Structure formats: C-alpha cells, structure tokens
Amino acid sequence: MADSDNSRTLPPVTRRDFHSVLAASLPTYPHLAAGITAPAEACNDDPAVMTWREWCAARLDASKSCRRQQKLEAKLISMAGSPQSAPDAWKASDEKLGYSRALDRERKAFIAENRVAEILWYTPAQTIMGATAKLHAIVDKWQPDAACDEYPWPQIRAVIADLLKIDAQMSLQRSGRDQVSPPGRRRATGCG
C-alpha cells in the first residue's frame, strides 16, 4: 500500500508517558496522574502495548480526519445548501473545497483504526501495561464521552486506575523506590 501508515516510526513510550496518557484519559480520577510516579524506563516489549501505540496513532488520525470533514461539510452547506436542493452548486463547491476527498480520507482513516483495534483485541497482553492499554482502547473507542457515568464506563475506568496504580507500585518496588501513595496521604510508619 502506497499510503500505509504501517511504516511510520512511533515515538518510544516510557512507563511514565504511558501512565500519564492513560491517567489523563480518566476524567473521573483527576488525582490519579499526580498520585502515580513510575520510573521512566522503557516499556516492556509487550505486543499489546506496541499495538496500542499503533492504535492510538490511527485513532488520532481518524479523529483529525473526522473533524476536518465536518468543518468542510459545514462550510459546503453554508456555500451551496443541501445536495438535494442544489446539486450543481453542491458539486461545484465540493470540487473547490475538497469535501468528497476529505470524506473519503475520513472513511479510510476509520477503516485503518478499526483494523488496528481488531488486532489489539486479539493480541494477548503479557504485562499489566498491556492489559491496561487494551482496556483504555475499549473505553476510548466506545464510551459516549470521556466522563460518561453510565454503567459500565465508570467501573472500567476504575479498573484502569487500579491497574495503573498496581503497575506503578510494582515498577517502583522493582527499582527499589518507595511505594506509590495517593496525594495528601502518607503511609503510616511504626505501630499506632
């Protein structure tokens, strides 16, 4: 494929970057990003995390294509009216603006995003980060909006938050650092 994005080199993701991206996507847990500090070593070679990174790039491309198409459509409607009421004006304005090309680009971007998503669902996670990445993709792809409080979205976001905390704690323990504690709370030391 001449226009394939598969050859694009994705930026390296560190554990800290991974945690920041996912924590920022959980609006019901604003304290989470401040409460998680994980060492910045490179992510494991979990195929689910690598596929998630590809999916994030494809998702961003699809979202940008959608916004561009919507802007052009609004402009086209304001210039030419509806395609049913003024088909010749619509066609001429479309050619000038490039709406049909943008619509086709959007369709292709969503097809590409869906292909990578399908690969992600069937890629076995080998780490907590991999499982968390897959859950994040599910939430980002299908919840109606980022702060949706309808079942099961808050519950899934809570599981993602738990997994991020567990991964950060395990990472800190492996590096010999202290455990993660929520902001404003310190671990009790000693007895009583």
Side-chain angles (χ1 to χ4, degrees):
M1 282 174 110
D3 65 344
S4 174
D5 286 343
N6 291 342
S7 62
R8 182 176 9 179
T9 303
L10 296 172
V13 175
T14 66
R15 185 174 300 277
R16 186 171 290 135
D17 294 339
F18 178 82
H19 283 211
S20 297
V21 167
L22 267 65
S25 73
L26 303 174
T28 52
Y29 297 92
H31 63 281
L32 185 62
I36 292 180
T37 55
E41 80 274 2
C43 293
N44 299 335
D45 290 331
D46 187 324
V49 173
M50 294 186 303
T51 305
W52 171 80
R53 288 174 42 215
E54 291 175 26
W55 175 81
C56 286
R59 179 78 170 171
L60 180 62
D61 184 47
S63 296
K64 286 180 179 179
S65 295
C66 181
R67 285 190 300 274
R68 175 165 168 62
Q69 176 276 133
Q70 288 172 344
K71 286 178 184 176
L72 288 173
E73 182 178 40
K75 191 171 183 177
L76 183 57
I77 290 170
S78 71
M79 288 173 64
S82 75
Q84 293 82 15
S85 64
D88 292 336
W90 179 274
K91 186 176 179 180
S93 296
D94 177 10
E95 287 178 17
K96 183 178 179 181
L97 291 176
Y99 169 73
S100 290
R101 289 187 302 276
L103 188 61
D104 187 53
R105 173 70 183 102
E106 176 197 31
R107 182 185 60 76
K108 289 177 181 176
F110 276 107
I111 288 170
E113 185 260 340
N114 285 328
R115 282 184 186 148
V116 179
E118 282 300 312
I119 294 168
L120 179 58
W121 310 146
Y122 294 104
T123 300
Q126 296 178 358
T127 62
I128 290 174
M129 287 176 64
T132 306
K134 290 173 77 169
L135 278 172
H136 170 263
I138 290 168
V139 170
D140 194 51
K141 186 166 178 60
W142 283 298
Q143 75 178 335
D145 66 67
C148 180
D149 61 357
E150 294 177 17
Y151 179 84
W153 305 115
Q155 293 80 7
I156 295 173
R157 289 191 302 264
V159 171
I160 292 171
D162 291 345
L163 289 170
L164 287 172
K165 289 176 194 173
I166 291 167
D167 186 63
Q169 288 173 334
M170 290 174 61
S171 178
L172 289 170
Q173 288 172 348
R174 281 190 302 269
S175 70
R177 296 181 187 172
D178 211 2
Q179 288 190 358
V180 175
S181 55
R185 291 178 64 191
R186 300 200 184 255
R187 282 184 316 168
T189 56
C191 300

